[in-house]
Amino acid sequence: MTTSTSTSTSTSTSTTSTVPGTSTSTRAAAVNLSRTTATATRVLRQLRHDPRTIALLILIPCLMLVLLRYVFDGSPRTFDSIGASLLGIFPLITMFLVTSIATLRERTSGTLERLLAMPLGKGDLIAGYALAFGALAVVQSALATGLAVWFLGLDVTGSAWLLLLVALLDALLGTALGLFVSAFAASEFQAVQFMPAVIFPQLLLCGLFAPRSSMHPALEAVSDVLPMSYAVDGMNEVLKHTDMTATFLRDALIVAGCALLVLFLGAATLRRRTR
C-alpha cells in the first residue's frame, strides 16, 4: 500500500511539474497581447522621463526639414524634389539610433535578463518595443509631414496622407533595424557604429542623389534589395501622381514586409545579456 501510494504520488508530482513547464514554455514562445502591451507601457513610461530622447525623436527630423528648406531657399523646386524623400529618411535614421541604444541599455543593465526570466517571451519583448516606438513614430511622422506640407510649402501632387503612410513605415523600419542590430553590439558606441554599415549604404543607393537606373549595374542590383530604395520610390510616386498607384502600393508593402521580417529576426537573435 505504501509503495503504491508513493509511486502514485511520484507520478502525480512528475505530471504536475511537466505541465506547468510546458505551459510556461508555450507562453514564453507565443506573443501575448497583455504582456506586449505591458512592455510597451513600461518603455513609454521610461521615455517620458528622458526629455533628450523625446527631443531627438520628435524635434530633430522637423528641425532638419526646416534647415533643408532654407538651404534651398532660392530653389524651391529642389526642396520639392528631395524634401519628400528625406521626409521618410530622417525618421528612419532617428528611430534606428534611439531604438538600438535603448534596447542595448536594457541588456547591459540586466533589465532584459530579469524580464526574460519571467513568463515573457522574446516575441513579447520585441513586439512591445515595436509598439512603444511605433506610437512615437506616429507622432514623429505626423509632425514632420504636417510641417513639410503645410508650413514649409512642400508641393506634392498626391495626398499628404500617403506621404505620412510612407514616413510612418520608414520609422517602423528604423525601429526594426535598431532592435535587430542591438543584438550584435556590446556597447552603445558599437550600436552607433552600425549606422555606417546599415544606414549609409542604403542612403547612397536609394536614388536620393542619383537615379538608380543610372548607377553601375552591380550597384543597381544591390539597391533593388534595400528597403530604403522602395521608401524613396514610394515618396516619388506621391510627388508625381494624384492617386495611389500600383507601384506605390508595391513599394509600401515591401517596406512594411521588410520591417516585419527584421522584427522577426530581432526576436530570434535577441540575447539576454552582452558577452
Side-chain angles (χ1 to χ4, degrees), residues 120-140:
L120 180 72
K122 293 182 179 180
D124 296 321
L125 193 69
I126 292 294
Y129 271 97
L131 182 61
F133 285 105
L136 291 174
V138 171
V139 178
Q140 179 195 71

Side-chain angles (χ1 to χ4, degrees), residues 42-57:
R42 180 185 62 81
V43 173
L44 290 173
R45 191 180 298 115
Q46 290 177 339
L47 289 174
R48 186 181 61 182
H49 300 291
D50 190 354
R52 287 176 297 181
T53 298
I54 294 177
L56 176 63
L57 285 172

Side-chain angles (χ1 to χ4, degrees), residues 174-189:
T175 299
L177 288 171
L179 289 169
F180 176 64
V181 303
S182 68
F184 303 98
S187 66
E188 294 179 10
F189 179 67

Side-chain angles (χ1 to χ4, degrees), residues 3 5 7 61 74 99 105 107 128 141 145 148 152 181 193 201 206 228 236 253:
T3 305
T5 304
T7 304
T99 307
R105 189 178 299 168
R107 197 169 70 244
S141 302
T145 302
L152 299 180
V181 303
Q193 286 180 315
C206 67
M228 191 182 290
N236 289 333
L253 289 176

Side-chain angles (χ1 to χ4, degrees), residues 99-183:
T99 307
S100 59
I101 293 175
T103 309
L104 181 64
R105 189 178 299 168
E106 292 272 74
R107 197 169 70 244
T108 55
S109 65
T111 302
L112 186 59
E113 185 176 9
R114 292 192 296 270
L115 289 172
L116 292 179
M118 303 165 59
L120 180 72
K122 293 182 179 180
D124 296 321
L125 193 69
I126 292 294
Y129 271 97
L131 182 61
F133 285 105
L136 291 174
V138 171
V139 178
Q140 179 195 71
S141 302
L143 286 177
T145 302
L147 177 69
V149 174
W150 289 298
F151 291 94
L152 299 180
L154 180 66
D155 187 17
V156 294
T157 303
S159 171
W161 292 105
L162 296 181
L163 280 182
L164 175 60
L165 174 62
V166 179
L168 177 58
L169 291 176
D170 286 346
L172 293 175
L173 176 62
T175 299
L177 288 171
L179 289 169
F180 176 64
V181 303
S182 68

Side-chain angles (χ1 to χ4, degrees), residues 77-87 149 154-159 162-163 232-243 248:
R77 290 186 178 180
T78 304
F79 176 70
D80 291 337
S81 63
I82 68 173
S85 299
L86 291 177
L87 184 60
V149 174
L154 180 66
D155 187 17
V156 294
T157 303
S159 171
L162 296 181
L163 280 182
V232 171
D233 288 349
M235 288 293 192
N236 289 333
E237 285 293 306
V238 180
L239 287 177
K240 299 174 184 177
H241 302 281
T242 55
D243 300 322
F248 172 86

